[in-house]
C-alpha cells in the first residue's frame, strides 16, 4: 500500500485576486480620466481614485475605483479577465534606427533640456557628465514609429518622459548607479515605441510616462502642421 501523500492540486485563483500589472493600472487611469472629462467625477475625486489605482496590488482592487462608472459596468459584463500579452518587441527593428544620432544633448557640469513641441528623431544621444539632461517627449512630434534614446550618465542624471499612449522599452544597466525604465504598452497598435538604452556610472537614468500627457493624433500632428503652413503660404500669396 502506498502511504505517501500526493500533493493536492491548487485551484486557479479568481481573476479578481490576480496581481495587477502596470498596463492594468494605466487602463484604469484612462477610464478615470475619461470620467473626469465627462463630468462624472470632480477633480478631487479623480485625484483620489488615481492615487488608489497606482497603489492597487490586484485586479479586484482596481475594479473598486470604476465600479460606479459606466466603464466599470461594461468591464463587469465583459468576458473574464485575460492577462494582456505584449506584442511590442524589446529591441528596435534591424535597420530602422540609423547609427548616427539625429539629435545630441550633452551636459558637462551643467544642464541640458529638450521639451515642448519638437520633432523627435529616430536616434537621440544624451550624455550627463557631472550634470543633468532632461528629455521630455510628452508634447513632441513623432515622425517615426521607432525612437531610440542612447543615454550615458557619469555622476549625473538623465530623465526621460514620454506620453502615456506610446510604448516604452528599456535595456541598460548601472555601475554603482541606477538605470530604471518603466515599461509601457500602448493600447493603440500604431503607437510609436521609445527604446531607451544606456549606462549609469555613479549616476542615474530614468524613463517613465508623464501622467496626463497624451498624443491626441499620433502621426497626424506633423501632417497637420505642414498643411497649416501651406495654407498660410497660399493665403499670403492670394493677398498679394
Amino acid at each position: 500500500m502506498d502511504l505517501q501523500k500526493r500533493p493536492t492540486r491548487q485551484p486557479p485563483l479568481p481573476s479578481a485576486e490576480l496581481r495587477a500589472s502596470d498596463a492594468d493600472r494605466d487602463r484604469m487611469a484612462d477610464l478615470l480620466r475619461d470620467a473626469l472629462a465627462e463630468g462624472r467625477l470632480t477633480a478631487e475625486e479623480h485625484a483620489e481614485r488615481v492615487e488608489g489605482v497606482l497603489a492597487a496590488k490586484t485586479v479586484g482592487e482596481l475594479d473598486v475605483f470604476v465600479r460606479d462608472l459606466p466603464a466599470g459596468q461594461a468591464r463587469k459584463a465583459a468576458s473574464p479577465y485575460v492577462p494582456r500579452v505584449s506584442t511590442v518587441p524589446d529591441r528596435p527593428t534591424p535597420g530602422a534606427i540609423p547609427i548616427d544620432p539625429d539629435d545630441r544633448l550633452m551636459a558637462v557640469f551643467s544642464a541640458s533640456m529638450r521639451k515642448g513641441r519638437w520633432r523627435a528623431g529616430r536616434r537621440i544621444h544624451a550624455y550627463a557628465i557631472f550634470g543633468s539632461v532632461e528629455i521630455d517627449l510628452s508634447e513632441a512630434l513623432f515622425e517615426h514609429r521607432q525612437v531610440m534614446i542612447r543615454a550615458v550618465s557619469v555622476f549625473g542624471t538623465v530623465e526621460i518622459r514620454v506620453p502615456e499612449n506610446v510604448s516604452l522599452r528599456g535595456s541598460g544597466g548601472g555601475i554603482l548607479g541606477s538605470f530604471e525604465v518603466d515599461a509601457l504598452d500602448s493600447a493603440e497598435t500604431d503607437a510609436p515605441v521609445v527604446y531607451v538604452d544606456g549606462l549609469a556610472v555613479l549616476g542615474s537614468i530614468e524613463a517613465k510616462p508623464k501622467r496626463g500627457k497624451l498624443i491626441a493624433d499620433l502621426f497626424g500632428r506633423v501632417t497637420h502642421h505642414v498643411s497649416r503652413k501651406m495654407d498660410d503660404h497660399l493665403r499670403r500669396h492670394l493677398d498679394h
Side-chain angles (χ1 to χ4, degrees):
M1 181 181 295
D2 185 6
L3 299 178
Q4 184 178 2
K5 289 186 178 181
R6 297 182 178 179
T8 58
R9 189 174 182 178
Q10 297 294 327
L13 288 174
S15 60
E17 297 182 20
L18 292 175
R19 301 285 292 187
S21 67
D22 288 339
D24 296 327
R25 297 184 185 89
D26 289 339
R27 283 193 288 273
M28 284 298 179
D30 290 341
L31 295 178
L32 293 174
R33 184 171 54 251
D34 292 341
L36 174 64
E38 294 168 358
R40 300 182 189 276
L41 295 175
T42 65
E44 291 77 10
E45 291 171 332
H46 173 263
E48 181 179 351
R49 295 194 185 196
V50 167
E51 184 178 355
V53 163
L54 297 178
K57 300 298 184 183
T58 66
V59 175
E61 292 176 6
L62 288 176
D63 288 335
V64 171
F65 298 102
V66 296
R67 65 184 179 187
D68 60 344
L69 301 173
Q73 298 302 313
R75 283 176 57 86
K76 188 181 297 184
S79 57
Y81 171 80
V82 177
R84 182 180 175 185
V85 178
S86 173
T87 59
V88 178
D90 291 333
R91 303 297 298 171
T93 304
I97 306 296
I99 297 177
D100 296 327
D102 300 310
D103 204 352
R104 183 183 286 107
L105 291 88
M106 180 173 291
V108 180
F109 289 98
S110 62
S112 181
M113 179 185 303
R114 182 60 57 86
K115 63 190 302 184
R117 291 179 61 84
W118 60 288
R119 286 182 171 82
R122 286 178 293 176
R123 177 181 285 273
I124 303 169
H125 285 183
Y127 304 95
I129 315 297
F130 289 93
S132 64
V133 173
E134 180 182 351
I135 301 175
D136 189 342
L137 293 163
S138 61
E139 297 181 10
L141 300 173
F142 285 85
E143 298 179 307
H144 308 283
R145 186 64 56 83
Q146 298 181 354
V147 174
M148 166 65 80
I149 299 177
R150 172 65 178 172
V152 175
S153 171
V154 179
F155 287 96
T157 61
V158 177
E159 294 186 1
I160 301 164
R161 297 293 179 265
V162 302
E164 287 188 301
N165 58 341
V166 305
S167 294
L168 179 63
R169 290 290 184 271
S171 175
I175 300 176
L176 299 178
S178 172
F179 179 89
E180 298 182 7
V181 175
D182 291 351
L184 179 66
D185 287 316
S186 175
E188 304 180 49
T189 57
D190 60 348
V193 184
V194 178
Y195 295 95
V196 178
D197 185 15
L199 176 66
V201 180
L202 292 167
S204 67
I205 297 173
E206 179 187 78
K208 62 174 57 177
K210 193 169 185 177
R211 298 297 179 186
K213 288 293 186 178
L214 298 172
I215 306 176
D217 183 355
L218 291 173
F219 293 102
R221 282 190 170 191
V222 174
T223 303
H224 173 72
H225 178 70
V226 173
S227 176
R228 187 174 59 183
K229 289 183 66 176
M230 292 179 64
D231 290 342
D232 293 341
H233 177 76
L234 179 60
R235 189 178 298 110
R236 287 195 300 269
H237 177 74
L238 292 176
D239 290 341
H240 285 80

